[in-house]
PDB file of all heavy atoms in Angstrom:
ATOM      1  N   CYS A 381     -12.913  43.283   6.120  1.00  0.00           N
ATOM      2  CA  CYS A 381     -13.673  44.445   6.572  1.00  0.00           C
ATOM      3  C   CYS A 381     -13.076  45.775   6.050  1.00  0.00           C
ATOM      4  O   CYS A 381     -11.876  45.912   5.892  1.00  0.00           O
ATOM      5  CB  CYS A 381     -13.665  44.461   8.102  1.00  0.00           C
ATOM      6  SG  CYS A 381     -14.582  45.813   8.840  1.00  0.00           S
ATOM      7  N   ALA A 382     -13.951  46.728   5.782  1.00  0.00           N
ATOM      8  CA  ALA A 382     -13.521  48.007   5.202  1.00  0.00           C
ATOM      9  C   ALA A 382     -12.745  48.898   6.164  1.00  0.00           C
ATOM     10  O   ALA A 382     -12.099  49.847   5.735  1.00  0.00           O
ATOM     11  CB  ALA A 382     -14.743  48.767   4.679  1.00  0.00           C
ATOM     12  N   LEU A 383     -12.803  48.614   7.461  1.00  0.00           N
ATOM     13  CA  LEU A 383     -12.015  49.394   8.399  1.00  0.00           C
ATOM     14  C   LEU A 383     -10.571  48.932   8.342  1.00  0.00           C
ATOM     15  O   LEU A 383     -10.296  47.737   8.495  1.00  0.00           O
ATOM     16  CB  LEU A 383     -12.533  49.214   9.829  1.00  0.00           C
ATOM     17  CG  LEU A 383     -13.791  49.967  10.238  1.00  0.00           C
ATOM     18  CD1 LEU A 383     -13.952  49.926  11.738  1.00  0.00           C
ATOM     19  CD2 LEU A 383     -13.757  51.413   9.757  1.00  0.00           C
ATOM     20  N   CYS A 386      -9.259  46.633  11.056  1.00  0.00           N
ATOM     21  CA  CYS A 386     -10.003  45.416  11.359  1.00  0.00           C
ATOM     22  C   CYS A 386      -9.562  44.273  10.439  1.00  0.00           C
ATOM     23  O   CYS A 386      -9.473  44.451   9.231  1.00  0.00           O
ATOM     24  CB  CYS A 386     -11.504  45.674  11.204  1.00  0.00           C
ATOM     25  SG  CYS A 386     -12.486  44.216  11.545  1.00  0.00           S
ATOM     26  N   GLU A 387      -9.275  43.089  10.997  1.00  0.00           N
ATOM     27  CA  GLU A 387      -8.794  41.958  10.205  1.00  0.00           C
ATOM     28  C   GLU A 387      -9.878  40.921   9.953  1.00  0.00           C
ATOM     29  O   GLU A 387      -9.634  39.869   9.380  1.00  0.00           O
ATOM     30  CB  GLU A 387      -7.604  41.316  10.915  1.00  0.00           C
ATOM     31  CG  GLU A 387      -6.439  42.282  11.051  1.00  0.00           C
ATOM     32  CD  GLU A 387      -5.259  41.713  11.835  1.00  0.00           C
ATOM     33  OE1 GLU A 387      -5.332  40.537  12.243  1.00  0.00           O
ATOM     34  OE2 GLU A 387      -4.276  42.442  12.010  1.00  0.00           O
ATOM     35  N   ARG A 388     -11.105  41.226  10.432  1.00  0.00           N
ATOM     36  CA  ARG A 388     -12.151  40.199  10.339  1.00  0.00           C
ATOM     37  C   ARG A 388     -12.720  40.068   8.926  1.00  0.00           C
ATOM     38  O   ARG A 388     -12.682  41.024   8.149  1.00  0.00           O
ATOM     39  CB  ARG A 388     -13.260  40.527  11.349  1.00  0.00           C
ATOM     40  CG  ARG A 388     -12.917  40.071  12.761  1.00  0.00           C
ATOM     41  CD  ARG A 388     -14.049  40.386  13.721  1.00  0.00           C
ATOM     42  NE  ARG A 388     -14.126  41.806  13.989  1.00  0.00           N
ATOM     43  CZ  ARG A 388     -13.666  42.380  15.103  1.00  0.00           C
ATOM     44  NH1 ARG A 388     -13.142  41.650  16.049  1.00  0.00           N
ATOM     45  NH2 ARG A 388     -13.754  43.666  15.256  1.00  0.00           N
ATOM     46  N   PHE A 398     -18.488  45.113   5.436  1.00  0.00           N
ATOM     47  CA  PHE A 398     -18.080  45.058   6.830  1.00  0.00           C
ATOM     48  C   PHE A 398     -18.084  43.645   7.399  1.00  0.00           C
ATOM     49  O   PHE A 398     -18.770  42.752   6.874  1.00  0.00           O
ATOM     50  CB  PHE A 398     -18.999  45.933   7.678  1.00  0.00           C
ATOM     51  CG  PHE A 398     -18.870  47.384   7.364  1.00  0.00           C
ATOM     52  CD1 PHE A 398     -19.856  48.057   6.646  1.00  0.00           C
ATOM     53  CD2 PHE A 398     -17.752  48.101   7.770  1.00  0.00           C
ATOM     54  CE1 PHE A 398     -19.731  49.391   6.350  1.00  0.00           C
ATOM     55  CE2 PHE A 398     -17.621  49.434   7.475  1.00  0.00           C
ATOM     56  CZ  PHE A 398     -18.605  50.095   6.764  1.00  0.00           C
ATOM     57  N   CYS A 399     -17.356  43.499   8.481  1.00  0.00           N
ATOM     58  CA  CYS A 399     -17.389  42.255   9.232  1.00  0.00           C
ATOM     59  C   CYS A 399     -18.606  42.302  10.151  1.00  0.00           C
ATOM     60  O   CYS A 399     -19.300  43.318  10.257  1.00  0.00           O
ATOM     61  CB  CYS A 399     -16.104  42.120  10.066  1.00  0.00           C
ATOM     62  SG  CYS A 399     -16.026  43.328  11.408  1.00  0.00           S
ATOM     63  N   ALA A 401     -18.788  42.462  13.371  1.00  0.00           N
ATOM     64  CA  ALA A 401     -18.709  43.415  14.475  1.00  0.00           C
ATOM     65  C   ALA A 401     -18.956  44.859  14.009  1.00  0.00           C
ATOM     66  O   ALA A 401     -19.374  45.701  14.803  1.00  0.00           O
ATOM     67  CB  ALA A 401     -17.345  43.324  15.154  1.00  0.00           C
ATOM     68  N   HIS A 402     -18.684  45.136  12.733  1.00  0.00           N
ATOM     69  CA  HIS A 402     -18.806  46.514  12.264  1.00  0.00           C
ATOM     70  C   HIS A 402     -19.977  46.716  11.312  1.00  0.00           C
ATOM     71  O   HIS A 402     -20.050  47.722  10.621  1.00  0.00           O
ATOM     72  CB  HIS A 402     -17.511  46.949  11.578  1.00  0.00           C
ATOM     73  CG  HIS A 402     -16.361  47.003  12.530  1.00  0.00           C
ATOM     74  ND1 HIS A 402     -15.198  46.287  12.382  1.00  0.00           N
ATOM     75  CD2 HIS A 402     -16.212  47.693  13.705  1.00  0.00           C
ATOM     76  CE1 HIS A 402     -14.386  46.536  13.388  1.00  0.00           C
ATOM     77  NE2 HIS A 402     -14.977  47.373  14.213  1.00  0.00           N
TER      78      HIS A 402
HETATM   79 ZN1   ZN B 704     -14.560  44.969  11.020  1.00  0.00          ZN
END
Side-chain angles (χ1 to χ4, degrees):
C381 181
L383 282 193
C386 180
E387 298 177 1
R388 279 182 287 258
F398 293 106
C399 69
H402 295 122

